[in-house]
């Protein structure tokens, strides 16, 4: 296939720069409002983030030397995670004196907003027009805002990683098109930084640029440029790989890569229904776009979308949002809009003139994008609710454990969410400085350590509402997995706490509102 950029759209099909700037500004402003509103309600980082919070502190304590292990979970978690996000956050904390939790609150959300114009750049490089790229960026903003996954405290690495991966993909496509040496260098640098920020950036880039090479730039020099960029990125990442590999062996990387279970049936179901059920407007337009691209014999977006769900299953809801957004833009502009023109023209006894076509297209885009943001708005409202971030009482419980229990204490959190590795459990080791039996974050780098912990978490979940006698189930689990004299349970269920005290001799250590700390008999 010819190593050439996509044909330029005609003037009537594309946006002028002023309209583009206005449209992109409106989209970014809408995304910013939806991302930042929950931060104005809560005084803590949204969702998870405890593991990374501890790791940033560890870097500062070590004088910015990479530690062997994290203080999180009493030092059993390997400090093997790509460290660039931690270094940047630690440097900001030291340089400007802002509290660490404020950085965890704002940096992920701001990076998620910045991902929208980055998505526009990538879509503009791939797509046929600036209009397609703008609509794709809007749909992308709607999709990534469905949950707090990117704007939570744990988004400190995954959101900048996504942002850098989008920019590296854009730069990589420019490298194919321009054949300039500087674009090879820029692709290598940005790709390396992306991988040093989040491990999922690697699969994202491999899929995006690999698919582009196979479907659009199938020439020898394109392959050479990609190989050189990959080698440059590997060179940039190599100091981290060498340090972690020398300390913990190649097995740490293999365990992390194997942490996600891969089921082709579940992957196919996610491919077909994930966006259709969570974001129906974008999902339906995505399906239209898939049909349109298949009929037009343009396989790049289709193969990209398929590969994401086949290969990158752990991160597919996020990495899949990019091709799905572009396909949805095609569905709206290349299928739905011409259909609406034809129907409206028939109603008037002929074809619509150019001005009426523009008005129809503008109205359809505004309606589709507005409806696409409805599920995102509900996600924002949920994040603004009491469960959007851990509460002050929950943090006080963790601080009490830190101040009043021996260092060998093992905690277990029976919080509101599914017990085991929920947000409260994830923050508990960071703020209590005690090990937790219900927190497996970070153990994906050591399968031998993580497997029994995940099994214990799964066992504890059977004690939730489906258990006929919840207190008996919890007491039996504690007896099997914890040393009662050195164990502390956190609960936010007063009735369960009362049953454990009355029937099994548990002792109350601390209580505030519905939050209770118990010690087994």
């Amino acid at each position: 296939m010819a190593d050439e950029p996509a044909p330029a759209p005609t003037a009537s099909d594309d946006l002028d720069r002023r309209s583009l700037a206005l449209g992109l500004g409106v989209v970014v402003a809408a995304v910013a409002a939806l991302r930042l509103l929950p931060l104005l309600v809560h005084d803590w980082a949204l969702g998870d983030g405890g593991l990374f919070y501890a790791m940033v502190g560890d870097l500062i304590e070590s004088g910015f030397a990479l530690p062997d292990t994290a203080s999180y979970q009493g030092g059993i978690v390997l400090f093997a995670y790509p460290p660039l996000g931690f270094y940047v956050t630690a440097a900001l904390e030291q340089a400007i004196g802002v509290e660490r939790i404020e950085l965890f609150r704002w940096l992920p959300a701001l990076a998620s907003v910045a991902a929208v114009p980055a998505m526009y750049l990538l879509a503009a490089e791939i797509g046929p027009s600036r209009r397609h790229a703008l609509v794709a960026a809007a749909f992308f903003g709607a999709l990534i805002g469905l949950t707090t996954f990117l704007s939570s405290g744990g988004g400190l690495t995954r959101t900048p990683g996504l942002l850098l991966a989008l920019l590296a993909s854009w730069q990589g496509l420019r490298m194919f098109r321009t054949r300039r040496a500087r674009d090879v260098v820029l692709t290598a640098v940005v790709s390396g930084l992306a991988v040093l920020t989040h491990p999922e950036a690697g699969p994202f880039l491999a899929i995006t640029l690999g698919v582009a090479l196979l479907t659009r730039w199938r020439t020898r020099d394109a392959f050479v440029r990609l190989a050189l960029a990959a080698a440059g990125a590997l060179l940039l990442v190599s100091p981290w790989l060498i340090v972690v590999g020398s300390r913990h062996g190649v097995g740490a990387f293999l365990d992390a890569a194997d942490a996600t279970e891969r089921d082709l049936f579940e992957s196919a179901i996610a491919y077909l229904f994930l966006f259709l059920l969570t974001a129906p407007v974008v999902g339906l337009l995505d399906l239209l776009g898939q049909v349109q691209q298949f009929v037009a014999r343009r396989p790049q977006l289709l193969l990209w979308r398929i590969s994401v769900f086949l290969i990158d299953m752990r991160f597919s809801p996020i990495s899949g949002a990019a091709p799905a957004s572009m396909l949805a833009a095609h569905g709206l502009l290349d299928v739905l809009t011409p259909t609406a023109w034809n129907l409206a023209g028939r109603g008037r006894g002929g074809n619509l003139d150019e001005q009426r076509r523009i008005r129809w297209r503008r109205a359809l885009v505004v309606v589709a994008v507005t409806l696409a943001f409805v599920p995102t708005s509900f996600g924002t409202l949920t994040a603004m609710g009491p469960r959007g971030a851990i509460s002050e009482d929950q943090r006080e419980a963790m601080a009490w454990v830190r101040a009043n229990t021996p260092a060998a204490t093992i905690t277990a959190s029976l919080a509101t969410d599914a017990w085991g590795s929920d947000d409260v459990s994830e923050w508990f080791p960071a703020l209590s400085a005690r090990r937790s039996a219900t927190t497996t974050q970070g153990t994906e780098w050591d399968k031998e350590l993580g497997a029994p912990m995940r099994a214990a978490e799964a066992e504890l979940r059977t004690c939730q509402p489906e258990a006929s006698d919840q207190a008996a189930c919890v007491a039996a689990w504690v007896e099997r997995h914890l040393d009662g004299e050195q164990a502390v349970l956190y609960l936010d269920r007063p009735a369960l706490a009362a049953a454990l005290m009355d029937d099994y001799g548990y002792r109350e250590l601390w209580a505030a509102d519905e939050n209770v700390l118990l010690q087994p008999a």
Side-chain angles (χ1 to χ4, degrees), residues 289-303:
Q290 291 182 55
V291 173
Q292 185 267 339
Q293 291 287 287
F294 179 80
V295 172
R297 297 182 179 180
R298 295 173 182 164
Q300 183 177 0
L301 295 179
L302 282 170
L303 186 56

Side-chain angles (χ1 to χ4, degrees), residues 297-353:
R297 297 182 179 180
R298 295 173 182 164
Q300 183 177 0
L301 295 179
L302 282 170
L303 186 56
W304 184 10
R305 194 185 188 288
I306 292 169
S307 299
V308 162
F309 283 88
L310 184 65
I311 300 171
D312 191 20
M313 290 179 61
R314 180 184 181 189
F315 210 56
S316 56
I318 299 301
S319 55
S325 298
M326 284 185 259
L327 287 164
H330 282 287
L332 176 59
L333 297 174
D334 300 338
V335 180
L336 188 59
T337 296
T339 301
W341 284 344
N342 290 334
L343 293 174
R346 290 177 186 177
R348 291 177 173 270
N351 293 327
L352 296 179
D353 60 36

Side-chain angles (χ1 to χ4, degrees), residues 317-492:
I318 299 301
S319 55
S325 298
M326 284 185 259
L327 287 164
H330 282 287
L332 176 59
L333 297 174
D334 300 338
V335 180
L336 188 59
T337 296
T339 301
W341 284 344
N342 290 334
L343 293 174
R346 290 177 186 177
R348 291 177 173 270
N351 293 327
L352 296 179
D353 60 36
E354 184 68 13
Q355 289 301 316
R356 286 192 176 93
R357 286 189 173 210
I358 291 173
R359 286 198 292 270
W360 267 96
R361 180 171 57 198
R362 187 176 297 158
L364 286 171
V365 168
V366 169
V367 170
V369 170
T370 301
L371 291 176
F373 272 89
V374 171
T376 306
S377 301
F378 284 116
T380 297
L381 290 175
T382 300
M384 294 172 67
R387 296 185 184 179
I390 61 172
S391 68
E392 184 177 358
D393 284 344
Q394 289 167 335
R395 301 196 301 270
E396 286 182 4
M398 300 172 199
W400 190 94
V401 170
R402 184 179 190 131
N404 296 280
T405 64
T409 297
I410 305 294
T411 66
S413 173
L414 281 66
T416 307
D417 298 320
W419 296 343
S421 293
D422 53 86
D423 291 342
V424 176
S425 293
E426 203 264 350
W427 278 102
F428 224 101
L431 301 186
S432 70
R434 301 293 182 267
R435 283 189 59 185
S436 167
T438 53
T439 308
T440 59
Q441 278 88 350
T443 62
E444 64 269 21
W445 297 88
D446 186 342
K447 185 184 295 186
E448 186 175 345
L449 170 67
M453 294 179 67
R454 281 187 285 273
E457 284 186 347
E459 183 183 335
L460 179 60
R461 292 189 191 104
T462 65
C463 296
Q464 287 194 288
E466 62 268 22
S468 58
D469 189 339
Q470 196 176 61
C473 186
V474 169
W477 182 88
V478 169
E479 186 174 351
R480 285 192 297 272
H481 295 282
L482 300 179
D483 180 349
E485 294 183 357
Q486 293 185 319
V488 172
L489 266 67
Y490 163 79
L491 304 89
D492 57 4

Side-chain angles (χ1 to χ4, degrees), residues 169-327:
S169 298
W170 165 63
Q171 188 60 54
L173 294 173
R174 284 174 58 85
M175 172 189 70
F176 288 144
R177 176 170 59 84
T178 65
R179 307 182 184 181
R180 293 182 303 201
R182 74 174 186 181
D183 287 322
V184 176
V185 174
L186 286 172
T187 301
V189 171
V190 183
S191 298
L193 294 177
V195 174
L196 282 172
T197 303
H198 196 275
E200 293 293 341
F204 183 96
L205 287 166
I207 293 169
T208 306
L209 298 182
V211 166
L213 182 68
L214 289 173
T215 60
R216 187 172 171 186
W217 308 99
R218 289 183 293 182
T219 62
R220 181 177 178 180
D221 61 330
F223 176 82
V224 170
R225 290 195 295 274
L226 182 58
L228 289 173
L234 181 61
L235 183 64
L236 187 61
V237 173
S238 60
W240 164 64
L241 295 176
I242 291 170
V243 170
V244 174
S246 64
R247 291 174 176 176
H248 309 299
V250 178
F253 298 107
L254 297 177
D255 285 352
D258 194 42
T260 303
E261 295 183 4
R262 287 171 169 79
D263 185 303
L264 291 180
F265 177 74
E266 291 181 1
S267 181
I269 295 298
Y271 177 90
L272 293 170
F273 298 110
L274 176 64
F275 298 120
L276 191 62
L277 296 178
T278 57
V281 172
V282 180
L284 286 170
L285 292 172
D286 171 29
L287 290 177
L288 290 178
Q290 291 182 55
V291 173
Q292 185 267 339
Q293 291 287 287
F294 179 80
V295 172
R297 297 182 179 180
R298 295 173 182 164
Q300 183 177 0
L301 295 179
L302 282 170
L303 186 56
W304 184 10
R305 194 185 188 288
I306 292 169
S307 299
V308 162
F309 283 88
L310 184 65
I311 300 171
D312 191 20
M313 290 179 61
R314 180 184 181 189
F315 210 56
S316 56
I318 299 301
S319 55
S325 298
M326 284 185 259
L327 287 164

